Amino acid sequence: MAAAIALARRGVHSEIVEREIDWRPSERRFERCRLVVDGSLQLSHWEREPDIRDADPGRLIEETFKTLAAPI
């Protein structure tokens, strides 16, 4: 997940530099960080409770990466 955060930051930072945007944290960055934190919490829950039937860590990770890879 740390790599996902790094990718998200890279996208935000490049946009700030290219467009000379106000550097203060944006709502978009907050939501992307929340996605990573919430996903991490869900993954840790599934690891602690391995008998959960609808657990799908692969899907969660894939969806998170796709969201973070999308343009901001």
Side-chain angles (χ1 to χ4, degrees), residues 6-23:
L7 284 173
R9 275 191 174 173
R10 182 177 149 232
V12 170
H13 290 164
S14 65
E15 182 180 356
I16 289 169
V17 170
E18 289 173 5
R19 297 185 189 182
E20 298 179 7
I21 295 174
D22 187 0
W23 59 269

Side-chain angles (χ1 to χ4, degrees), residues 24-68:
R24 288 175 283 186
S26 68
E27 183 68 25
R28 293 177 295 167
R29 181 175 178 189
F30 178 81
E31 291 302 324
R32 292 165 69 88
C33 290
R34 183 192 321 226
L35 175 71
V36 172
V37 170
D38 290 348
S40 297
L41 290 172
Q42 183 62 58
L43 289 170
S44 68
H45 175 71
W46 286 337
E47 287 180 357
R48 289 188 317 270
E49 303 289 335
D51 296 331
I52 296 175
R53 292 183 186 209
D54 63 342
D56 191 355
R59 179 193 51 77
L60 176 62
I61 292 168
E62 180 182 352
E63 288 177 1
T64 301
F65 283 152
K66 282 181 181 178
T67 301
L68 294 175

